[in-house]
């Protein structure tokens, strides 16, 4: 079984890594997809996000990282994946995630969305929170992989 895990990853956090590791245990191959054409204004460029993600998952053999534009279902199809992985943190994630999953299924009934619930210790964690903690220099190392902690601090120094 092959799956894709799409997101903005601006930047990748330990919450994402938890979802990546756990799904890599279930599927044969996992392709993490960084969405290029996103309405959100990212802090990190595509190249920076790609580098940080690749560094963070380099020890997991069945995980690759790519960037993509357009719809997740097309990204899944292009990669021969029948499953889209998403992480659920809090109730508020549920509404939007369910909407996205229903739309995707109506367009592409052959592709399933699979939700993993967040690890409890990461249930509060988002890329936005990580950036805020880094801004106040309040211990971002606990929230993001070392390569991200370094990069994020560099950003705020500038
Ligand atoms: P998007 O902008 O598509 O929501 P994100 O990079 O914020 O992209 O998140 C990608 C996926 O990872 C989403 O399914 C999101 O719910 C999930 N996710 C984000 N943070 C966590 C976390 N701390 N624990 C579990 N899942 C998470």
């Amino acid at each position: 079984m092959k799956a894709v895990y799409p997101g903005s990853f601006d930047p990748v956090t330990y919450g994402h890594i938890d979802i990546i590791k756990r799904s890599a245990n279930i599927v044969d191959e996992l392709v993490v997809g960084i969405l290029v054409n996103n309405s959100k204004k990212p802090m990190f460029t595509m190249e920076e996000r790609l580098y940080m993600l690749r560094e963070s998952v380099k020890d997991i053999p069945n995980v690759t990282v790519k960037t993509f534009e357009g719809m997740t279902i097309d990204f899944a199809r292009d990669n021969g994946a029948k499953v889209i992985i998403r992480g659920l943190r809090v109730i508020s994630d549920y509404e939007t995630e369910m909407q996205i999953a229903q739309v995707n299924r109506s367009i592409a009934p052959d592709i399933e969305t699979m939700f993993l619930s967040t690890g409890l210790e990461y249930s509060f964690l988002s890329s936005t929170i990580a950036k805020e903690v880094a801004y106040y220099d309040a211990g971002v190392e606990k929230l993001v992989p070392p390569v991200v902690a370094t990069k994020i601090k560099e950003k705020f120094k500038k």
Side-chain angles (χ1 to χ4, degrees), residues 8-118:
S8 320
F9 305 106
D10 184 45
V12 61
T13 69
Y14 280 140
H16 297 125
I17 299 292
D18 178 56
I19 298 288
I20 292 172
K21 283 188 179 155
R22 285 161 53 207
S23 24
N25 276 334
I26 307 171
V27 302
D28 299 303
E29 254 183 87
L30 181 71
V31 185
V32 181
I34 310 175
L35 182 59
V36 177
N37 216 350
N38 196 312
S39 51
K40 299 174 190 170
K41 183 151 179 12
M43 171 180 223
F44 293 96
T45 66
M46 193 42 75
E47 290 71 28
E48 288 171 323
R49 283 183 272 163
L50 189 61
Y51 170 74
M52 290 186 285
L53 246 168
R54 284 196 170 142
E55 273 297 302
S56 307
V57 302
K58 65 178 179 207
D59 294 330
I60 316 171
N62 58 339
V63 175
T64 50
V65 186
K66 295 180 181 177
T67 62
F68 75 102
E69 269 179 276
M71 297 199 73
T72 303
I73 46 169
D74 293 325
F75 178 63
R77 287 211 176 107
D78 291 346
N79 283 282
K82 290 254 178 254
V83 176
I84 296 169
I85 305 270
R86 294 288 285 176
L88 281 182
R89 281 161 296 188
V90 285
I91 300 292
S92 53
D93 276 348
Y94 184 87
E95 210 176 319
T96 36
E97 290 296 336
M98 202 48 72
Q99 221 169 7
I100 298 169
Q102 301 291 18
V103 170
N104 282 342
R105 195 143 58 101
S106 69
I107 306 169
D110 55 318
I111 296 174
E112 288 290 352
T113 302
M114 204 163 86
F115 295 106
L116 295 191
S117 61
T118 176

